[in-house]
Amino acid sequence: MKKLFLLIFFFGISATGFCQLKNNSFEEIDSLQQIQKRKTIVFIHTNWCQFCQRMKTATFKNQEIIEKLNSDFYFISFNAEEKRDITFNNQTFKYLSSGNNVGIHELALQLGTQDNQIAYPVLCVLNEKNEIVFQYSNYLSSKDFKVLLEKLQE
């Protein structure tokens, strides 16, 4: 009986308390939009950016944010230094090398450039037609990100 209780308790906790953020790919978005129209939030980051890593470990681990993103948006976590070709919006984007193991992906430039520059982390919000409706370059705490999500749903 004690084991059964612990088993039920564990599954109850894991179902509610350890919800995972659903990370989509650019290639999936068109078919997902045909099923249900939603805005897409693209988190553009790099491995060396401290603020990007902080958002990954704090903001995007917040259970309220995870639940909101999973239920109301499509989410893409995109490393700006991704080397594979990505087809999105009927266009193929490639990695642009600028030196020995240094470069940026064309899609990161397309979605993350503001005032002719890119500063990480970048949040880019796309509407249902994959058009940019909002861009923000800076760290967002969980509290501030929740406010942004609420405004995006208005």
Side-chain angles (χ1 to χ4, degrees), residues 69-132:
L69 286 172
N70 285 347
S71 66
D72 300 333
F73 299 92
Y74 296 120
F75 180 77
I76 299 172
S77 180
F78 179 50
N79 185 340
E81 297 172 327
E82 172 72 46
K83 291 187 170 69
R84 70 180 178 88
D85 291 356
I86 297 173
T87 301
F88 179 63
N89 252 3
N90 299 316
Q91 189 175 348
T92 300
F93 298 89
K94 298 178 178 297
Y95 176 76
L96 303 172
S97 177
S98 60
N100 190 14
N101 210 20
V102 178
I104 189 168
H105 204 281
E106 288 176 319
L107 191 50
L109 289 172
Q110 177 88 22
L111 298 177
T113 300
Q114 298 174 59
D115 300 323
N116 295 319
Q117 66 179 9
I118 188 165
Y120 304 106
V122 178
L123 287 170
C124 179
V125 181
L126 307 173
N127 65 14
E128 296 82 1
K129 297 176 186 172
N130 297 327
E131 301 164 331
I132 297 172

Side-chain angles (χ1 to χ4, degrees), residues 7-55:
L7 192 62
I8 291 170
F9 178 76
F10 174 74
F11 283 117
I13 294 276
S14 63
T16 59
F18 299 110
C19 186
Q20 293 289 316
L21 180 56
K22 171 86 172 101
N23 187 25
N24 299 287
S25 70
F26 285 102
E27 291 85 358
E28 293 175 303
I29 294 299
D30 283 335
S31 32
L32 288 170
Q33 290 291 8
Q34 290 175 5
I35 298 166
Q36 184 178 9
K37 301 285 185 200
R38 294 182 183 179
K39 288 184 176 113
T40 302
I41 297 178
V42 183
F43 173 58
I44 304 170
H45 58 87
T46 65
N47 292 334
W48 49 263
C49 167
Q50 291 179 0
F51 293 109
C52 301
Q53 299 311 314
R54 192 176 307 159
M55 281 188 73

